[in-house]
Amino acid sequence: MSAHKHAQTHYPVVDLIKHRWSPRAFTSQPLNDDDLRTLFEAAAWAPSAMNEQPWRFIYAHREQTEAFQKLWNCLLPGNQPWARHAAVLVVVLARKTMGANDAPNRHYLHDTGLATANLLLQAASMGIHGHVMGGFDMAKTQQALHLPADLEPATFLALGYVGEAEQLEEPFRSRELAPRSRKPLSEFVFENGLPTE
Ligand SMILES: Cc1cc2nc3c(=O)[nH]c(=O)nc-3n(C[C@H](O)[C@H](O)[C@H](O)COP(=O)(O)O)c2cc1C
């Protein structure tokens, strides 16, 4: 059966946050272009330093076999077996410089992450799921996509509708069924400064 891994939270966060998770099993259902545009629009409305909007997205539908294959080839072996079933693969790029004078933008990866989070939450609201992947070959990606030096691949995304855990090989099946967990707030939230031992 398909896993629904809603977050078990200690405090009452909105359902959208509870319902987003990172599956590896996807159905064969494609994403339609309007829905995909909605996801990118959601990304566009993320905040960014100086409203620079440093994010860029390159995507391919699974049916666009050659273009999809080109992106899939850039993934590391730990992601390739399950990511080949995604409806859409996206490369998330971040522009390192800002403005007309190409000044360094210290916030390029931060802000691109915010845009990605917006995209994932919008997706969750539409019953679409995304899985962020840092496991890709940087040099291969730069080469395959002919990227200019100031556009850095930040992550890849697998997008689609959640499938059945049973369709996955191990170790992915077990990971798909494993419970989700988070650090307790006491480990990462500090009132009035860090603890002094
Ligand atoms: C920057 C980044 C890189 C990640 N890289 C990978 C990856 O290469 N392969 C993978 O299976 N999951 C990857 N993940 C997914 C995380 O493992 C996942 O988000 C985390 O375990 C929490 O699970 P959840 O998203 O279901 O809450 C990545 C997530 C992020 C944000």
Side-chain angles (χ1 to χ4, degrees):
M1 57 174 252
S2 71
H4 286 287
K5 301 188 17 172
H6 297 172
Q8 306 296 316
T9 66
H10 294 288
Y11 293 91
V13 305
V14 293
D15 283 347
L16 203 50
I17 290 175
K18 288 190 191 180
H19 294 174
R20 184 217 59 79
W21 65 284
S22 305
R24 293 179 177 82
F26 293 101
T27 68
S28 57
Q29 189 180 343
L31 283 192
N32 78 50
D33 273 319
D34 278 349
D35 285 349
L36 201 50
R37 299 263 151 207
T38 298
L39 302 189
F40 292 128
E41 175 90 35
W45 286 95
S48 64
M50 307 286 288
N51 200 18
E52 171 62 25
Q53 305 162 64
W55 46 81
R56 304 287 184 274
F57 301 99
I58 296 175
Y59 71 91
H61 287 275
R62 197 180 49 237
E63 300 77 49
Q64 297 163 325
T65 319
E66 206 177 309
F68 186 90
Q69 186 76 25
K70 190 196 270 192
L71 300 190
W72 181 84
N73 276 337
C74 297
L75 296 173
L76 294 185
N79 290 323
Q80 283 184 329
W82 59 267
R84 76 193 155 94
H85 299 294
V88 170
L89 281 177
V90 183
V91 191
V92 182
L93 304 158
R95 185 185 169 215
K96 294 186 203 179
T97 55
M98 67 198 303
N101 61 348
D102 292 335
N105 177 4
R106 198 169 77 77
H107 309 288
Y108 70 109
L109 287 173
H110 175 275
D111 293 352
T112 299
L114 289 179
T116 302
N118 262 21
L119 186 157
L120 293 175
L121 291 175
Q122 178 67 43
S125 80
M126 296 161 69
I128 298 166
H129 280 73
H131 196 134
V132 180
M133 292 170 281
F136 64 90
D137 186 314
M138 179 71 77
K140 222 188 235 183
T141 306
Q142 285 163 328
Q143 224 166 36
L145 300 174
H146 309 289
L147 299 178
D150 71 336
L151 270 194
E152 180 176 315
T155 56
F156 278 57
L157 291 179
L159 295 174
Y161 295 93
V162 177
E164 308 289 328
E166 287 71 21
Q167 74 196 56
L168 295 168
E169 311 150 18
E170 290 295 354
F172 306 115
R173 184 186 302 184
S174 303
R175 286 183 198 159
E176 194 79 344
L177 296 168
R180 297 170 68 210
S181 67
R182 288 300 190 264
K183 293 175 184 168
L185 268 62
S186 58
E187 283 190 28
F188 66 94
V189 182
F190 311 102
E191 187 172 9
N192 302 333
L194 291 172
T196 48
E197 305 270 334

